Amino acid sequence: MTLPTYLLTNTYKIYMSDHGHTELERFHTIFRIVHKKILPQQIKGVFSYINFDKLIYTMLENNNDFSEIVSEYALIQDVDYYFKVTLQLYLQGKGYSVNSLWGYKGIVTDQHRYIRYNDGREVCYNKEYDKQPITKEKIEQLRRLCTTYPSDIIQDEQFRYARNLYKTQQNYMKRNGEYEAEKKRVIAALFDELTDSSKIAIRGGGRHTWFLWFTLEQKTQRKISYVIDSDPKCMAAKLGVEIIGMDDLESKEIDTVIISSYKSELTWYNELQKVTNGVRIIGLYDYLEKNGIHCNMEFYKPEYIEEDIVWEE
């Protein structure tokens, strides 16, 4: 179809992307408006699609001031995963992490992201790769702004398979809740053993350290001075902690390194022994094992067994 010249030259063009598939920013989209009367500009603030009608009215009125359609923050929300095949796969108890299947409610600002998941997890991190720690006051402010997830939505027929996720998790916690609580207690005890004057670094800045960080209370997080990773834009770079390389260990005067990896703990332990002198090296899983906690997989993954799993059509 060929459009008339008038439409081609006078039409507002709105370019909107899907949310994409990145590690942390699934709720962020690319959004552009093009028209010959609109001057090139980048509008500061947060735009929510809830205000899409205001955007249309602003454009139709030939108004170049878009300040009224943005705000300091926007609410975000995603529902629990409800696709049958995926849920069946993840609930087989074969080491798949169900953490990504839970819905959430959250707050986005120009600087921070706050997410409250339906399984009880809460995360808050920087939008950019910033060494600036997130204060307790900021987290509390974002927590107050975040509204409650609509709990009745799970009863909708669309989510009949998602209900199996909830029932399986309830069975697991009934059987293994004390183990999960003890696991968190031992992890906290590891950091409590280290003095406030210790220079602590975490080896590994990926998903494992992301979950470790949010297992800790904020006062314990502040004990961590650095994360060691070859990628300055690793996941942990958004946690408000400095990312350093292996070559920086001596200059940063680090005295304790905690290895944050299930699969690479022994390899990284041996590597660190070769490049450090007088530094205490602690493997997280070695420490857990010595304190009576045996993990068959990453500590943040629920270890479902057949009797936990519920599947109802």
Side-chain angles (χ1 to χ4, degrees), residues 24 113-115 117 120-126 134 139 184 187 206-218 221 224 235-236 238-240 299-300:
L24 299 174
R113 306 287 188 257
Y114 169 85
I115 311 290
Y117 291 95
R121 287 176 295 131
E122 179 186 62
V123 303
C124 187
Y125 55 95
N126 292 319
I134 304 170
I139 295 174
K184 291 182 179 180
I187 291 174
R207 175 181 291 272
H208 194 284
T209 295
W210 183 267
F211 281 97
L212 175 61
W213 180 270
F214 292 114
T215 300
L216 305 172
E217 294 185 5
Q218 193 175 28
Q221 293 171 355
I224 301 171
M235 290 178 69
K238 292 194 173 186
L239 298 175
F299 77 91
Y300 53 84

Side-chain angles (χ1 to χ4, degrees), residues 3-11 36:
L3 294 175
T5 303
Y6 173 80
L7 289 179
L8 290 172
T9 57
N10 292 281
T11 301
K36 65 180 182 179

Side-chain angles (χ1 to χ4, degrees), residues 37 44 48-49 74 131 170 172 235 243 268 281 305 309:
K37 293 182 180 179
K44 292 185 178 181
S48 170
Y49 286 143
K131 292 186 293 185
Q170 288 169 1
Y172 174 74
M235 290 178 69
I243 309 300
W268 288 357
I281 306 169
I305 60 175
I309 300 169

Side-chain angles (χ1 to χ4, degrees), residues 3 8 22 31 35 57 68 109 113 125 132 155 169 175 210-211 234 245 264 283 285 297:
L3 294 175
L8 290 172
T22 61
F31 187 78
H35 189 271
Y57 285 127
E68 293 299 317
T109 74
R113 306 287 188 257
Y125 55 95
Q132 187 67 32
Q155 302 305 323
Q169 182 70 2
R175 178 182 64 84
W210 183 267
F211 281 97
C234 59
S264 301
Y285 292 94
M297 59 188 71

Side-chain angles (χ1 to χ4, degrees), residues 7 28 32 43 48 53 71 90 141 163 168 171 203 219 224 226 256 259 277:
L7 289 179
H28 176 74
R32 289 184 177 181
I43 304 166
S48 170
D53 59 331
S71 58
Y90 275 71
Q141 177 196 13
R163 291 195 285 268
T168 298
N171 285 348
R203 173 66 174 101
K219 65 178 182 179
I224 301 171
Y226 306 101
T256 305
I259 300 172
N277 183 23

Side-chain angles (χ1 to χ4, degrees), residues 39-97:
L39 299 175
Q41 59 181 301
Q42 185 171 353
I43 304 166
K44 292 185 178 181
V46 180
F47 173 71
S48 170
Y49 286 143
I50 293 174
N51 294 325
F52 196 82
D53 59 331
K54 295 180 182 179
L55 169 66
I56 299 300
Y57 285 127
T58 302
M59 291 191 302
L60 293 177
E61 292 171 357
N62 294 321
N63 188 351
N64 274 309
D65 182 7
F66 292 92
S67 60
E68 293 299 317
I69 68 168
V70 296
S71 58
E72 293 183 0
Y73 70 91
L75 285 164
I76 57 173
Q77 177 180 311
D78 200 358
V79 297
D80 300 308
Y81 216 88
Y82 53 82
F83 187 51
K84 178 180 178 179
V85 174
T86 302
L87 284 165
Q88 284 180 318
L89 176 66
Y90 275 71
L91 292 179
Q92 288 177 349
K94 295 183 179 179
Y96 295 108
S97 175

